[in-house]
Amino acid sequence: MEETLTAWLLPALALLAGIAIGFLVARLAPSAAPNRTQRQLDDIQEQFNSYQSEVVSHFHTSANLMRKLSQDYQEVQQHLTEGASRLTLDEQTRQRLLASLDNDGPTAPRGRLSQSQSNEAPRDYAPKSTDTPGTLDATFGLNKTKPQR
């Protein structure tokens, strides 16, 4: 009977000792995986914050450049208007130049796109004449003559 007790007792004690050692090693050993993951998460967050600040800076600079471009355009327009007023010899030429400068403003239409004269919505079918059958008619596409045999 002692032999069966020893046969069961030694593996049970070894199992308990293994569990205890594993628990101690897991508790006392520094957990590298969570620290590495946290470090990667912090790096990604830092990159994201950097990217966001770059985007904000980009759009701020773009807005300033657009404002400057608009001011420069207005200054050029004013310079051309003053030059047309000062340098033209007759009134008719002066009026034509001033009118063309006023029409070439940033809000003037470019002429490439023509606005439709009709207020009718576009159709998704081809219009037909009144004497022809429509595509849903039973006789549409059929010859009116009888076939010869």
Side-chain angles (χ1 to χ4, degrees):
M1 184 152 184
E2 265 186 51
E3 288 181 17
T4 56
L5 183 65
T6 306
W8 283 99
L9 189 58
L10 285 176
L13 288 174
L15 179 65
L16 288 175
I19 291 173
I21 291 171
F23 180 76
L24 288 174
V25 167
R27 282 301 250 181
L28 297 177
S31 54
N35 286 339
R36 186 182 59 189
T37 305
Q38 185 64 39
R39 200 169 41 248
Q40 287 175 342
L41 182 64
D42 291 342
D43 290 343
I44 291 172
Q45 184 66 40
E46 184 179 330
Q47 288 173 356
F48 179 70
N49 290 342
S50 172
Y51 175 75
Q52 278 185 325
S53 66
E54 286 180 36
V55 168
V56 168
S57 173
H58 168 76
F59 283 112
H60 181 70
T61 303
S62 296
N64 286 338
L65 290 173
M66 288 300 292
R67 190 177 312 114
K68 183 180 177 211
L69 180 66
S70 176
Q71 289 171 351
D72 289 346
Y73 177 79
Q74 290 172 353
E75 289 175 8
V76 167
Q77 186 77 14
Q78 183 179 3
H79 173 73
L80 290 173
T81 303
E82 289 171 1
S85 295
R86 228 177 339 113
L87 299 175
T88 53
L89 300 177
D90 60 343
E91 186 62 30
Q92 184 180 10
T93 307
R94 179 179 301 122
Q95 292 303 322
R96 282 191 307 188
L97 281 174
L98 290 175
S100 69
L101 287 175
D102 288 340
N103 289 341
D104 288 341
T107 58
R110 296 287 183 211
R112 283 187 286 183
L113 300 176
S114 63
Q115 194 171 15
S116 175
Q117 299 300 326
S118 171
N119 290 336
E120 183 179 344
R123 299 179 182 174
D124 60 347
Y125 59 91
K128 68 174 192 72
S129 61
T130 56
D131 60 340
T132 59
T135 56
L136 297 178
D137 191 82
T139 61
F140 180 76
L142 298 177
N143 292 335
K144 293 184 180 183
T145 60
K146 290 186 176 181
Q148 295 179 354
R149 292 185 187 207

